[in-house]
């Protein structure tokens, strides 16, 4: 009798002190010169999910929208790559007239938000010391969303 009460109390305390980590990631890319050229990708946890999958919602322009799932390990790789970005706003080395902008918004399990943005992300960004972490994170996000880097306007 006491064993059952102890086990039940232990499990309840475990759930309270060690909840499932819920993290969200939002990616937005747009170009103000080209109307309706935005790409929105969101990674959200699935409630009551025993397999540990993460829902990926991709909105390309206005009409194209699709939803599917990726593994928690793949999402953790993307989330950790985004955490390696050093600064909030990344300067553009090569100035472009009205270049496209990309934003990454991270929300951790405590509700703390961290936003990163850059303008003019292109192929040269992978060799730039300030932009390479943002570029790498963007490539992981695009692969997880089953899109190509060429879908980004300035790439």
């Amino acid at each position: 009798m006491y064993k059952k009460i102890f086990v039940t109390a232990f499990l309840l305390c475990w759930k309270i002190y060690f909840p499932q980590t819920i993290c969200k990631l939002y990616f937005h890319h747009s170009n103000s010169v080209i109307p309706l050229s935005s790409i929105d990708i969101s990674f959200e946890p699935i409630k009551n999910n025993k397999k540990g999958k993460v829902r990926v919602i991709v909105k390309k322009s206005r009409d194209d929208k699709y939803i599917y799932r990726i593994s928690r390990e793949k999402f953790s790789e993307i989330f950790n790559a985004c955490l390696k970005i050093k600064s909030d706003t990344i300067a553009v080395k090569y100035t472009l007239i009205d270049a496209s902008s990309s934003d990454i918004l991270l929300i951790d399990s405590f509700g703390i938000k961290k936003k990163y943005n850059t303008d003019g992300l292109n192929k040269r960004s992978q060799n730039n010391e300030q932009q390479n972490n943002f570029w790498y994170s963007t490539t992981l996000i695009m692969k997880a969303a089953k899109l190509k880097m060429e879908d980004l306007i300035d790439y």
Side-chain angles (χ1 to χ4, degrees), residues 29-108:
H29 181 84
S30 65
N31 191 334
S32 62
V33 174
I34 303 170
L36 306 174
S37 65
S38 66
I39 296 175
D40 292 309
I41 304 168
S42 62
F43 297 85
E44 299 175 354
I46 300 171
K47 295 179 182 177
N48 300 326
N49 185 8
K50 294 179 183 177
K51 294 182 181 178
K53 298 285 185 176
V54 175
R55 179 182 299 126
V56 180
I57 303 168
V58 180
K59 295 178 188 174
K60 192 174 174 185
S61 66
R62 279 192 175 178
D63 300 330
D64 297 337
K65 178 181 175 180
Y66 55 94
I67 301 170
Y68 63 95
R69 298 174 182 181
I70 62 170
S71 67
R72 170 117 7 230
E73 292 81 21
K74 195 170 189 178
F75 175 72
S76 295
E77 179 184 359
I78 296 168
F79 197 85
N80 291 333
C82 291
L83 290 176
K84 291 180 184 176
I85 299 172
K86 295 177 183 167
S87 60
D88 295 347
T89 304
I90 296 148
V92 179
K93 185 174 181 179
Y94 309 99
T95 57
L96 302 170
I97 298 173
D98 206 15
S100 63
S101 64
S102 301
D103 301 320
I104 297 176
L105 175 66
L106 304 174
I107 303 173
D108 67 4

